[in-house]
C-alpha cells in the first residue's frame, strides 16, 4: 500500500498536487474544472480588494516547456472568490486556498476583515511575491515590511494563513527570511513564485508587451531554483510550517524531487496552462511509478530525505 496523504494545519489531503495561483483559477468555470479534476484541492487567483484588469496584452507567452508572463494581478476582486468558496460544502471549503494581495499595506486589515466576515474556513495565502505590477516592488524582498505585514496579519486573523514567497538566491537571504517566518504561527509557505524580470524574444521582438518585455519566468527552466528554495526553507523553518513547492513541474519525477527536498503540497503552473487539468492524473500516475521504482511507500518516508555526496 502507498500512503500519499498530506496533513497541513489539521486538514488532510489525499495527495499533493494542485494548481498554482496564476493558472486555471481566474473564473468560477476554471476553478470548477480544477475542483472536478484529479487535483487534491485548488488555490484561487490572487485576489485584491477590487477587481483588476491587469497589464496590457500580450502578457503571457509559452516557449517550449517554459513561460514568461507579466499579468499584473488580473482578478475579479475578493468578494467574487469568497462568494464562490461559500457555495462549496464546508468539508471542501476547509481544504481550499484563497490567495490575496494587498496593493498597499493598509489594505491587509480590510482584506482579512472581509475574509473573517465571510466566515471562510480554509487557508489564506498572503502573496508577497508579484513581480509584474508596475511600480509595486515585491514585498518578499523587503524583510522589514514582510515582518510588519505578518505582525499585522496575526494580530487580526487566527485561521490558517501562509505566505507566497519570491525566489531567493543568497544563503543569507534564506537565513534572514526564515528567522522572520519562524516568529509567526504560519501554516505554510509557498515557494517559489516565478523568477522575475526575464526577457524572451519571439522572433526579433519581445514576447510580451508590459514592462518593455520584462516578465516572470516559469516552467521547467526554474526547477533547480525552486528545489533550492524548498530545501533551504525546509532546513530552516519550524516543522509546524509546511512547504508548498512550486516551480518546474512537468513530470512525476519533478513532483518526487519537490517532496524529496521538503515539500508537502506541490503546485503546477506552466505545465497546467499548456496541458490542461488532465495533467493532475498523469502526474499522479508518474509519481506513484517513481515512488515504486525507489521503494518508497509514503510521502512522509520521502520528504526531506535528499542525500548529500
Amino acid at each position: 500500500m502507498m500512503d500519499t496523504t498530506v496533513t497541513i494545519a489539521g486538514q488532510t489531503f489525499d495527495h499533493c498536487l494542485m494548481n498554482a495561483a496564476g493558472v486555471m483559477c481566474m473564473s468560477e468555470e476554471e476553478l470548477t474544472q480544477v475542483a472536478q479534476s484529479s487535483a487534491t484541492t485548488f488555490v484561487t487567483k490572487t485576489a485584491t480588494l477590487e477587481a483588476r484588469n491587469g497589464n496590457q496584452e500580450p502578457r503571457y507567452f509559452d516557449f517550449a516547456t517554459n513561460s514568461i508572463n507579466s499579468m499584473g494581478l488580473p482578478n475579479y476582486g475578493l468578494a467574487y472568490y469568497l462568494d464562490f468558496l461559500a457555495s462549496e460544502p464546508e468539508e471542501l471549503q476547509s481544504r481550499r486556498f484563497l490567495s490575496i494581495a494587498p496593493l498597499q499595506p493598509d489594505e491587509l486589515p480590510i482584506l482579512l476583515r472581509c475574509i473573517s466576515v465571510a466566515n471562510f474556513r480554509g487557508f489564506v495565502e498572503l502573496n508577497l511575491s508579484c513581480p509584474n505590477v508596475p511600480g509595486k516592488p515585491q514585498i518578499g524582498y523587503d524583510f522589514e515590511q514582510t515582518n510588519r505585514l505578518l505582525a499585522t496579519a496575526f494580530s487580526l486573523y487566527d485561521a490558517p494563513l501562509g505566505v507566497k514567497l519570491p525566489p531567493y538566491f543568497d544563503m543569507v537571504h534564506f537565513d534572514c527570511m526564515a528567522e522572520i517566518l519562524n516568529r509567526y504561527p504560519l501554516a505554510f509557505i509557498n515557494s517559489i513564485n516565478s523568477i522575475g524580470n526575464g526577457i524572451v524574444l519571439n522572433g526579433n521582438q519581445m514576447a510580451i508587451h508590459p514592462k518593455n518585455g520584462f516578465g516572470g519566468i516559469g516552467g521547467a527552466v526554474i526547477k533547480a531554483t525552486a528545489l533550492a528554495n524548498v530545501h533551504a526553507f525546509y532546513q530552516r523553518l519550524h516543522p509546524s510550517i509546511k512547504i508548498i513547492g512550486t516551480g518546474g513541474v512537468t513530470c512525476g519525477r519533478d513532483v518526487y524531487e519537490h517532496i524529496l527536498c521538503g515539500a508537502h503540497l506541490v503546485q503546477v503552473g506552466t505545465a497546467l496552462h499548456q496541458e490542461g487539468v488532465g495533467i493532475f492524473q498523469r502526474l499522479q500516475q508518474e509519481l506513484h511509478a517513481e515512488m515504486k521504482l525507489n521503494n518508497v511507500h509514503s510521502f512522509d518516508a520521502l520528504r526531506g530525505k535528499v542525500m548529500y555526496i
Side-chain angles (χ1 to χ4, degrees), residues 83-237:
D83 286 345
F84 175 73
L85 291 164
S87 70
E88 291 199 305
E90 185 175 323
E91 68 272 13
L92 288 179
Q93 186 187 130
S94 64
R95 295 193 297 274
R96 301 309 195 197
F97 289 76
L98 170 64
S99 184
I100 62 171
L103 295 177
Q104 304 291 342
D106 60 3
E107 290 183 353
L108 180 58
I110 304 171
L111 288 163
L112 294 176
R113 193 176 306 120
C114 291
I115 294 169
S116 295
V117 169
N119 201 29
F120 173 63
R121 299 178 180 276
F123 295 83
V124 172
E125 174 187 270
L126 178 57
N127 188 346
L128 302 181
S129 172
C130 184
N132 301 314
V133 178
K136 301 292 183 184
Q138 294 191 63
I139 297 171
Y141 289 136
D142 185 333
F143 296 159
E144 291 183 4
Q145 186 177 9
T146 294
N147 186 49
R148 288 194 297 269
L149 281 177
L150 289 176
T152 297
F154 284 102
S155 71
L156 299 171
Y157 194 75
D158 59 4
L161 186 146
V163 292
K164 184 171 186 175
L165 298 175
Y168 299 100
F169 303 94
D170 191 299
M171 302 309 287
V172 173
H173 293 161
F174 292 125
D175 293 338
C176 292
M177 180 53 75
E179 192 277 327
I180 292 169
L181 298 175
N182 280 327
R183 298 175 191 174
Y184 300 98
L186 288 159
F188 67 93
I189 68 163
N190 184 349
S191 182
I192 58 174
N193 204 341
S194 58
I195 298 179
N197 296 319
I199 287 177
V200 173
L201 299 181
N202 183 16
N204 292 333
Q205 67 181 17
M206 296 291 189
I208 58 175
H209 178 86
K211 295 173 56 181
N212 295 317
F214 287 78
I217 303 298
V221 70
I222 75 167
K223 186 180 79 168
T225 300
L227 294 179
N229 277 255
V230 167
H231 195 57
F233 282 115
Y234 180 80
Q235 292 175 312
R236 289 163 172 79
L237 293 180

Side-chain angles (χ1 to χ4, degrees), residues 26 46-54 72-81 103:
M26 176 78 167
T46 297
T48 50
L49 268 179
E50 305 295 336
R52 288 175 54 88
N53 291 326
L73 287 181
N75 71 95
Y76 292 131
L78 178 63
Y80 177 92
Y81 300 103
L103 295 177

